[in-house]
Amino acid sequence: MDAADCAAAIEKMGRSDGARYGGRQFEFVGRSGVRKTPLPPMHTPRRYTAGTCTVVIAMLNIFPEADLPDPPKNPLGSSDVTTFHDLYLAADSVLHHCVAWLQQAGYQQEGVVASIGVLLLATDSLENHSIPPGVNPADILDTGEDQPLESSGLEEDQFELTAATRIVHLHASHMFSTAPTSLPQL
């Protein structure tokens, strides 16, 4: 996974959904999520790919809690509220703290209750391919409707990280934000 490709994937996210929606709040909803606010929904997972790197926006409840680095402070929801501006900043933080600095895939929690994961993964990795299909923002029509991706045959709402991967948590220094978390290869 190349840091320059990750920067390009983040820029792709910024040029598509970021430019279109910026600081507007949305309720991000997982595949089987139930909306809890009157805000407009954004369906997850969402992917932005450039070469060897893919930015994935996904609800963290698709991961078994045992695979997360620390027990969640709040129950992980199937929906959460944030902006594309905040997701862009989170992706940029993962790029600098995990990909460029540690040379590892990583993620950062985002949202009001930190239920959204902003993941930077190797495009050809098992982790990326194991995340259920979702929305390809490049296929979104001007109608504002999200277009689902073709099914990969995965029917599970959760996936397990492979035995070759474990999550290491970098503790946050600010109580209202979660530090990026790396996904090192064993």
Side-chain angles (χ1 to χ4, degrees):
M1 181 168 68
D2 181 63
D5 285 349
C6 288
I10 294 168
E11 286 308 311
K12 185 181 273 190
M13 179 177 76
R15 285 190 313 272
S16 61
D17 287 335
R20 187 173 185 181
Y21 303 116
R24 183 176 173 195
Q25 284 194 326
F26 289 94
E27 181 175 8
F28 286 77
V29 183
R31 288 176 23 168
S32 59
V34 176
R35 292 181 55 202
K36 297 176 182 149
T37 74
L39 293 170
M42 277 290 165
H43 299 284
T44 66
R46 304 178 83 77
R47 285 182 170 82
Y48 311 85
T49 299
T52 62
C53 186
T54 299
V55 176
V56 179
I57 308 300
M59 303 310 298
L60 287 173
N61 71 346
I62 67 171
F63 294 91
E65 284 192 22
D67 286 351
L68 296 174
D70 287 327
K73 293 177 182 152
N74 300 310
L76 292 174
S78 60
S79 75
D80 202 349
V81 174
T82 195
T83 67
F84 278 99
H85 174 77
D86 289 339
L87 295 175
Y88 180 90
L89 293 175
D92 192 57
S93 181
V94 175
L95 169 64
H96 293 290
H97 291 97
C98 296
V99 178
W101 181 258
L102 298 173
Q103 299 177 351
Q104 296 173 348
Y107 79 95
Q108 182 167 321
Q109 290 175 257
E110 186 54 57
V112 173
V113 293
S115 289
I116 302 168
V118 180
L119 300 92
L120 270 64
L121 302 171
T123 301
D124 63 352
S125 69
L126 181 58
E127 291 75 29
N128 184 37
H129 292 291
S130 296
I131 294 174
V135 175
N136 182 353
D139 293 340
I140 295 174
L141 304 175
D142 286 337
T143 62
E145 296 293 318
D146 291 341
Q147 302 299 315
L149 291 176
E150 302 256 339
S151 174
S152 67
L154 293 172
E155 300 302 326
E156 302 276 332
D157 279 343
Q158 292 191 329
F159 74 94
E160 294 182 21
L161 295 175
T162 67
T165 304
R166 63 183 172 89
I167 299 175
V168 176
H169 187 255
L170 303 176
H171 292 281
S173 60
H174 190 279
M175 67 177 178
F176 295 110
S177 65
T178 303
T181 304
S182 63
L183 299 169
Q185 297 296 318
L186 289 178

